[in-house]
Coordinates of all heavy atoms in Angstrom, one line a residue:
A26 N 7.2 28.4 7.1 CA 7.0 29.5 7.9 C 7.7 29.4 9.2 O 8.3 30.3 9.9 CB 5.6 29.9 8.1
A47 N 13.3 46.7 -3.3 CA 12.4 47.3 -4.2 C 12.9 48.8 -4.5 O 12.2 49.5 -5.3 CB 11.0 47.4 -3.7
A49 N 13.3 51.3 -2.4 CA 12.7 52.3 -1.7 C 13.8 53.3 -1.0 O 14.8 52.8 -0.7 CB 11.8 51.8 -0.5
R61 N 2.1 41.7 17.3 CA 1.1 40.6 17.4 C -0.2 40.8 16.5 O -0.6 40.0 15.8 CB 0.6 40.6 18.9 CG 0.8 39.3 19.6 CD 0.3 39.5 21.0 NE 1.4 39.9 21.8 CZ 2.0 39.0 22.6 NH1 1.7 37.7 22.5 NH2 3.0 39.4 23.3
I64 N 1.7 44.3 11.8 CA 3.0 44.7 11.4 C 2.8 45.3 10.0 O 2.3 44.6 9.1 CB 4.0 43.6 11.2 CG1 4.2 42.9 12.5 CG2 5.4 44.0 10.6 CD1 5.0 41.5 12.4
D68 N 6.5 51.4 1.8 CA 7.7 51.9 1.1 C 7.3 52.7 -0.1 O 6.2 52.6 -0.6 CB 8.6 50.7 0.8 CG 8.1 49.8 -0.3 OD1 7.8 50.2 -1.4 OD2 8.0 48.5 0.0
I99 N 24.7 37.5 -5.4 CA 23.5 38.1 -4.8 C 23.8 39.5 -4.4 O 24.8 39.9 -3.7 CB 23.2 37.3 -3.4 CG1 23.0 35.9 -3.7 CG2 22.1 38.0 -2.8 CD1 21.6 35.6 -4.2
L109 N 7.2 36.0 1.7 CA 5.8 36.3 1.7 C 4.9 35.1 1.7 O 3.9 35.1 2.3 CB 5.6 37.2 0.4 CG 6.2 38.6 0.4 CD1 5.7 39.4 -0.8 CD2 5.8 39.3 1.8
L154 N 2.5 46.7 3.0 CA 2.2 45.3 3.3 C 1.8 45.2 4.8 O 2.6 45.6 5.6 CB 3.3 44.4 3.0 CG 2.9 43.0 2.7 CD1 3.5 42.5 1.4 CD2 3.2 42.1 3.9
V163 N -2.0 29.3 14.0 CA -1.0 28.4 14.6 C -0.9 28.7 16.2 O 0.1 29.4 16.6 CB 0.4 28.7 14.1 CG1 1.3 27.4 14.3 CG2 0.4 29.1 12.6
D173 N 4.9 41.6 25.5 CA 5.1 42.6 24.5 C 6.4 43.3 24.5 O 7.0 43.6 23.5 CB 4.0 43.7 24.5 CG 2.7 43.2 23.8 OD1 2.7 41.9 23.4 OD2 1.7 43.9 23.7
V187 N 19.0 46.6 10.5 CA 18.7 47.1 9.1 C 19.1 48.5 9.0 O 19.8 48.9 8.0 CB 17.3 46.8 8.8 CG1 16.9 47.6 7.5 CG2 16.9 45.4 8.7
S273 N 34.5 38.9 14.6 CA 34.3 39.7 15.8 C 35.6 39.6 16.7 O 36.0 40.5 17.4 CB 33.1 39.1 16.6 OG 32.0 39.2 15.8
A324 N 43.0 39.4 9.2 CA 44.2 40.3 9.4 C 43.9 41.7 9.0 O 44.3 42.7 9.8 CB 45.3 39.8 8.6
T341 N 47.9 57.0 25.9 CA 47.8 56.3 27.3 C 48.8 55.2 27.4 O 48.4 54.1 27.5 CB 46.4 55.7 27.5 OG1 46.1 55.0 26.4 CG2 45.4 56.8 27.6
P357 N 44.9 38.7 48.8 CA 44.5 37.4 49.3 C 43.2 37.4 50.1 O 42.8 38.5 50.6 CB 45.6 37.1 50.3 CG 46.4 38.3 50.5 CD 46.1 39.3 49.4
P365 N 43.6 53.9 56.8 CA 44.4 55.1 56.4 C 44.9 55.9 57.6 O 44.2 55.9 58.6 CB 43.5 55.9 55.5 CG 42.1 55.5 56.0 CD 42.2 54.1 56.5
S368 N 42.9 61.4 59.1 CA 41.5 61.4 59.5 C 40.7 61.9 58.3 O 41.2 62.7 57.5 CB 41.3 62.2 60.7 OG 41.7 63.6 60.3
P399 N 56.0 67.0 43.8 CA 56.2 66.8 45.3 C 57.3 67.9 45.7 O 58.4 67.9 45.2 CB 56.7 65.4 45.4 CG 57.2 65.0 44.2 CD 56.6 65.8 43.1
M406 N 50.2 68.7 55.3 CA 49.1 68.0 54.8 C 48.8 66.8 55.6 O 47.8 66.2 55.5 CB 49.4 67.5 53.3 CG 49.7 68.6 52.3 SD 48.1 69.4 52.0 CE 48.7 70.5 50.7
I409 N 47.5 63.9 62.1 CA 47.9 62.9 63.1 C 46.9 61.7 63.0 O 45.8 61.8 63.0 CB 47.9 63.5 64.5 CG1 49.0 64.6 64.5 CG2 48.2 62.4 65.5 CD1 48.6 65.8 65.3
S418 N 54.2 52.1 56.4 CA 54.0 53.1 55.4 C 52.6 52.9 54.8 O 52.3 51.9 54.2 CB 55.1 52.9 54.4 OG 54.6 53.2 53.1
V427 N 49.9 62.2 37.7 CA 50.6 62.0 36.5 C 49.6 62.0 35.3 O 48.5 61.4 35.4 CB 51.3 60.6 36.5 CG1 52.0 60.4 35.2 CG2 52.3 60.5 37.6
Q446 N 39.9 58.3 38.2 CA 38.5 58.2 37.8 C 37.9 56.9 38.4 O 36.8 57.0 39.0 CB 38.4 58.3 36.3 CG 36.9 58.2 35.8 CD 36.8 58.4 34.3 OE1 37.7 58.9 33.7 NE2 35.7 58.1 33.8
L453 N 32.4 56.6 45.2 CA 30.9 57.1 45.0 C 30.0 55.9 45.1 O 28.9 56.0 45.6 CB 30.8 57.8 43.6 CG 31.5 59.2 43.6 CD1 31.5 59.7 42.2 CD2 30.8 60.2 44.5
Y454 N 30.4 54.8 44.4 CA 29.5 53.6 44.4 C 29.2 53.2 45.8 O 28.1 52.9 46.2 CB 30.2 52.6 43.6 CG 29.5 51.2 43.6 CD1 28.4 51.0 42.8 CD2 29.8 50.2 44.5 CE1 27.7 49.8 42.8 CE2 29.2 49.0 44.5 CZ 28.1 48.8 43.6 OH 27.4 47.6 43.6
Q505 N 5.0 64.3 27.8 CA 5.3 62.8 27.4 C 6.7 62.5 27.6 O 7.0 61.4 28.2 CB 4.8 62.6 26.0 CG 3.3 62.5 25.9 CD 2.9 61.0 25.9 OE1 3.5 60.2 25.2 NE2 1.9 60.7 26.7
D527 N 21.2 59.6 29.7 CA 21.2 58.8 28.5 C 22.1 57.6 28.7 O 21.7 56.4 28.5 CB 21.8 59.5 27.3 CG 20.7 60.6 26.8 OD1 19.5 60.4 27.0 OD2 21.1 61.5 26.1
E567 N 45.3 67.9 48.5 CA 44.4 67.5 49.5 C 43.3 66.6 48.9 O 42.9 65.6 49.5 CB 43.7 68.7 50.1 CG 43.6 68.7 51.6 CD 43.1 70.1 52.1 OE1 43.7 71.1 51.8 OE2 42.1 70.1 52.8

Side-chain angles (χ1 to χ4, degrees):
R61 236 180 266 270
I64 299 167
D68 70 55
I99 302 279
L109 292 187
L154 205 132
V163 203
D173 279 8
V187 167
S273 304
T341 54
S368 61
M406 300 287 188
I409 294 140
S418 144
V427 178
Q446 183 174 343
L453 289 170
Y454 175 79
Q505 282 266 311
D527 287 337
E567 222 172 308

